Amino acid sequence: MDFPRHDTDTARAAHQALREHAQQTGERHLAALFEDDAQRFERLSRSGCGLLADISKQRLTTETLSLLSELARARGLQSWIECLFKGEDVNWTEQRPAMHWRLRDTKDRAPDVHAQLARMERMVDRILRGQWRGCEGDAITDVVNVGVGGSDLGPLMASFALSEQRPPRGHRPRVHFVSSMDGSQVAPLLQELNPATTLIVVSSKSFTTVDTLTNAATARGWLEREMPGRNGAVLRCHFVGISAQPERMSRWGIHEDNQLQFWEWVGGRYSLWSAIGLPIALTIGMQGFRELLAGAHDMDRHFQDTPWQDNLPVMMGLVDVWNLNFLNITARAVLPYDGRLKHLPSYVEQLEMESNGKSVTRAGENVTHHTCPVIWGEVGPNAQHAFYQLLHQGTQPVACEFIVAARHDRLNADGSEFKQLEDQHQLTLANCLAQSRLLALGEHALPADLELPAFKRYRGNQPSTTLMLDELSPRHLGSLLALYEHKVFVQAVLWGINPFDQWGVEMGKVIATDMIQVLESGQGGDNLDASSRALAERARRLNQD
Ligand code: F6P
């Protein structure tokens, strides 16, 4: 496939125009930008798929967006979007397409995708109806997802976010997540569980990830110890595997009937739409899971069909490029004002930083500008009592991203309105809006006659985007997550990098294996640097005492 060229004279000219524009507009305070234009919100906010994205608190104007669009045009964004959805090998270092979007295309679903979804549905149905039995004949009460990275963060985040929804029928099991390789999650969890009613889901695209296989082996050892003499029944009744590598699942001992598959063309961090989403389906039911897929599909359509000026992923991608490359804002805080989105920051961290934390272009050259910003986050109201001090009065600019649901309906058991929780939602909304206002406007948001000593002052001008969901339903969450995915793709096109590989994490796995030998036997340490050798030696000594 002959992909559009990345760096052309037009692209360089667009870049230069943006640099010049940044010197004027980028220096203006947000308070002045709001004062200049009474229509600023109308001009700089867009909605679609049950979401509103307000970028009017970003340090830019409509002219900035036009210039950024020029750059995107020069970088061939339109052709890249077409390549993505045609299934071309956009992941060029691994020579494969990135077709996570295909998992949510209900009309055009390929037979392989459809078959796995149907298989997953049967599994979910049996578990929820109590028909999936442990080897002692008990129904399943607890499901443990063992995975890491994309095989953990997506399902964890979405299951947690949607856990107020319940499957329409059946009895929902408790769903737990185990990821950390040191066993500090799996050990206390297993102590609390009843082996006879526990189902372990081993989720790993590659089925080689040591973190996951070690935790899975610990769980297997526990089940076999607790239910001795059951031969293969423990594996048959208590283990499900989800992977793109069926032979490896079989070799590990997962029974063929308990295997769910997905494909190499689904990146790990893009995989929650596949069978990797099993914990989500167990939490909200299969109908809810299909709604999640439908919401993501809505955004796929929006991304392909909507003109750029109204296109949410394009607009958000352009904003991030502006902040990083032209305003030199190298950090972004993801701030959900909703406890249900507690795991969203970690999910976005992997999605964006593993995708775009790259520095080599498709031509094999080093990039000449920054790529992904450093991203971190926390539930907004909690972060207000932790790191907002730095946002308000620290020395560095940080682009903030507020995510909030306009409505959050909660009822008492008898179906009546739960007034106190309604009030708590209003309080949270108020905090979200007040914080983004104060961060943007600084003292301009405060009474004019307020005189503050230097240490109490708020300089403002901290840019932010507010993403307001109509409500946090499976459909809207699906749209929100697909928005993030496509935004990452837009950025990658503008930066000329591959967002679908992750070579930077591979070597760590290899050299850790060598280090085990040093720790266990003391052999091989001579080749290490002085620091690593001394640390390994100290740990070895303390372990021998
Ligand atoms: O180490 C990074 C990574 O490869 C991620 O991209 C991936 O989501 C995670 O490990 C888990 O990989 P797997 O699903 O193959 O176990």
Side-chain angles (χ1 to χ4, degrees):
M1 162 74 205
D2 187 21
F3 286 108
R5 287 198 51 206
H6 173 68
D7 223 1
T8 55
D9 288 345
T10 344
R12 277 189 287 274
H15 222 265
Q16 180 56 27
L18 276 157
R19 268 199 296 268
E20 285 163 18
H21 175 70
Q23 278 169 0
Q24 301 138 24
T25 309
E27 292 304 313
R28 301 213 60 209
H29 197 286
L30 273 162
L33 292 173
F34 271 98
E35 232 170 76
D36 284 357
D37 183 2
Q39 300 296 306
R40 190 170 164 80
F41 172 79
E42 287 73 17
R43 278 190 234 288
L44 292 171
S45 61
R46 297 288 180 277
S47 53
C49 310
L51 308 174
L52 172 104
D54 172 19
I55 60 162
S56 64
K57 293 193 183 87
Q58 291 289 350
R59 283 156 50 184
L60 45 70
T61 63
T62 48
E63 190 190 346
T64 321
L65 290 180
S66 307
L67 291 170
L68 287 163
S69 297
E70 281 306 310
L71 179 63
R73 233 182 305 284
R75 295 273 200 245
L77 178 60
Q78 194 52 46
S79 327
W80 277 101
I81 296 174
E82 284 159 23
C83 291
L84 175 74
F85 286 100
K86 271 193 219 149
E88 309 277 1
D89 285 354
V90 289
N91 179 355
W92 62 82
T93 57
E94 297 176 301
Q95 281 116 48
R96 58 185 183 222
M99 297 200 288
H100 40 282
W101 49 268
R102 194 165 165 235
L103 301 168
R104 48 225 192 190
D105 185 349
T106 38
K107 280 193 215 76
D108 191 28
R109 189 172 289 131
D112 47 353
V113 174
H114 184 72
Q116 286 303 315
L117 198 64
R119 205 173 155 91
M120 176 175 166
E121 179 147 25
R122 283 195 294 277
M123 213 177 256
V124 169
D125 200 50
R126 279 179 63 207
I127 297 169
L128 294 183
R129 286 176 190 270
Q131 291 166 350
W132 184 298
R133 300 280 163 163
C135 62
E136 295 184 350
D138 304 280
I140 297 301
T141 58
D142 292 86
V143 174
V144 183
N145 189 82
V146 180
V148 72
S151 301
D152 169 67
L153 293 168
L156 167 65
M157 177 271 301
S159 308
F160 193 84
L162 299 173
S163 58
E164 282 177 12
Q165 319 264 332
R166 301 197 75 83
R169 281 179 302 282
H171 183 72
R172 171 165 100 181
R174 285 180 292 269
V175 179
H176 314 269
F177 291 85
V178 160
S179 58
S180 80
M181 67 160 66
D182 65 351
S184 59
Q185 289 173 314
V186 74
L189 176 63
L190 296 183
Q191 277 180 15
E192 282 174 22
L193 299 180
N194 175 359
T197 62
T198 297
L199 180 69
I200 309 289
V201 177
V202 188
S203 290
S204 174
K205 179 179 171 185
S206 60
F207 230 77
T208 57
T209 306
V210 68
D211 321 45
T212 299
L213 295 185
T214 311
N215 279 322
T218 299
R220 180 172 168 175
W222 170 72
L223 285 165
E224 286 173 344
R225 251 191 335 275
E226 296 289 323
M227 296 184 286
R230 300 272 173 188
N231 298 326
V234 162
L235 274 169
R236 180 75 175 83
C237 304
H238 293 270
F239 281 89
V240 164
I242 307 172
S243 180
Q245 297 292 339
E247 309 80 36
R248 289 185 193 148
M249 285 197 273
S250 299
R251 240 176 285 138
W252 195 87
I254 306 279
H255 193 279
E256 208 184 306
D257 291 349
N258 298 358
Q259 296 182 6
L260 293 172
Q261 290 176 36
F262 62 111
W263 303 271
E264 287 300 335
W265 44 261
V266 185
R269 53 193 173 275
Y270 299 86
S271 65
L272 74 87
W273 321 102
S274 70
I276 289 286
L278 180 70
I280 310 170
L282 287 171
T283 305
I284 62 175
M286 207 59 199
Q287 207 178 310
F289 186 70
R290 286 183 192 278
E291 275 291 295
L292 184 81
L293 298 182
H297 182 61
D298 292 342
M299 188 54 75
D300 294 337
R301 298 291 309 275
H302 170 95
F303 182 44
Q304 289 175 86
D305 300 342
T306 311
W308 287 1
Q309 68 270 19
D310 298 319
N311 190 309
L312 297 175
V314 171
M315 187 176 83
M316 288 191 57
L318 297 182
V319 169
D320 281 1
V321 168
W322 169 248
N323 280 336
L324 183 63
N325 298 139
F326 300 99
L327 299 187
N328 209 19
I329 302 175
T330 55
R332 204 173 96 235
V334 177
L335 305 165
Y337 271 70
D338 195 315
R340 295 171 294 175
L341 292 174
K342 170 173 141 179
H343 299 290
L344 183 72
S346 312
Y347 166 82
V348 172
E349 283 162 20
Q350 188 204 15
L351 177 65
E352 298 207 22
M353 295 199 279
E354 199 173 67
S355 296
N356 281 341
K358 314 277 167 68
S359 51
V360 175
T361 66
R362 202 163 53 84
E365 290 159 356
N366 287 332
V367 294
T368 50
H369 40 70
H370 277 311
T371 53
C372 189
V374 174
I375 297 167
W376 92 105
E378 179 55 86
V379 172
N382 296 1
Q384 286 178 202
H385 302 282
F387 59 75
Y388 271 43
Q389 168 64 38
L390 178 146
L391 301 182
H392 283 297
Q393 291 189 319
T395 55
Q396 305 192 51
V398 176
C400 300
E401 198 158 276
F402 297 91
I403 303 113
V404 69
R407 286 178 49 195
H408 186 178
D409 298 332
R410 281 173 293 186
L411 303 176
N412 287 308
D414 63 3
S416 62
E417 188 184 303
F418 199 151
K419 181 75 179 83
Q420 271 157 325
L421 287 182
E422 279 290 307
D423 294 347
Q424 285 193 250
H425 177 60
Q426 292 302 321
L427 179 67
T428 310
L429 260 174
N431 269 271
C432 178
L433 301 185
Q435 286 292 339
S436 65
R437 178 170 149 74
L438 185 58
L439 281 165
L441 303 182
E443 280 152 32
H444 300 271
L446 304 174
D449 55 353
L450 202 62
E451 282 189 21
L452 296 168
F455 62 87
K456 284 191 177 174
R457 299 196 65 174
Y458 290 83
R459 66 167 188 280
N461 214 23
Q462 204 72 296
S464 70
T465 291
T466 299
L467 288 169
M468 188 178 276
L469 284 72
D470 294 353
E471 58 186 340
L472 186 52
S473 61
R475 192 156 192 138
H476 294 342
L477 181 66
S479 298
L480 176 72
L481 302 180
L483 165 59
Y484 275 110
E485 288 178 347
H486 294 320
K487 181 199 78 161
V488 163
F489 180 68
V490 170
Q491 293 168 325
V493 169
L494 267 81
W495 290 325
I497 55 175
N498 180 358
F500 298 116
D501 61 9
Q502 58 284 321
W503 294 103
V505 300
E506 299 303 330
M507 197 51 74
K509 300 176 191 170
V510 177
I511 64 171
T513 313
D514 301 341
M515 195 63 87
I516 289 174
Q517 207 202 335
V518 180
L519 284 169
E520 282 177 359
S521 66
Q523 304 297 307
D526 297 346
N527 304 328
L528 299 177
D529 60 276
S531 162
S532 309
R533 189 169 53 239
L535 291 170
E537 195 39 51
R538 184 180 168 83
R540 197 170 123 74
R541 216 175 40 245
L542 289 169
N543 272 299
Q544 281 168 348
D545 287 348

